[in-house]
Amino acid sequence: MKINAFADVSLRALLVLSSAPAGELLTTQNIADAVGTPYHHVSKAIVRLRELGLIDVERGRKGGSRLSAAGRQATVGHVLRKLNTRLDPAECQSANGDCPLITECGLRLALARAREAFYRELDGVAVSSLPRPRQMAPAFQAIGLPLGL
């Protein structure tokens, strides 16, 4: 199963935020630099993660983002369910017209069950448990911050 680019960027942002020293606010630019993703993409992810209650954001010159209590407990499965904007597991429905086989399609149902099994498998994996010091150290060195793990 492939996740969309927005979910990928959002998960990377959560990994960086979960690795930050306790109480440290990271700017959106810090996060973008750490994950090697354009600022614009990361800023959209930050807005959505805040809406979901996974991060806390403080505005202003000394502002930034930090993982919320809910974000520390969030699982990969939960996050992907919230961020996957594509409801159809295949191109059953599109702007160009629906698949002529859509009525009572067994494949569509099977793909939806497979997607849910994928998410269910990730429900046992907390996002905050994923970062490793060797993995995150280069990202934090790039933005000039100590690793918080």
Side-chain angles (χ1 to χ4, degrees), residues 11-22:
L11 283 170
R12 288 191 219 185
L14 288 172
L15 290 173
V16 169
L17 289 168
S18 67
S19 302

Side-chain angles (χ1 to χ4, degrees), residues 4 6 20 26-27 51 58 64 68 85-86 105 113 122 129 137:
N4 63 37
F6 183 73
L26 297 181
T27 67
E51 290 171 353
E58 290 185 21
S68 68
T85 56
R86 185 173 172 175
C105 179
R113 282 196 316 261
L122 295 169
S129 72

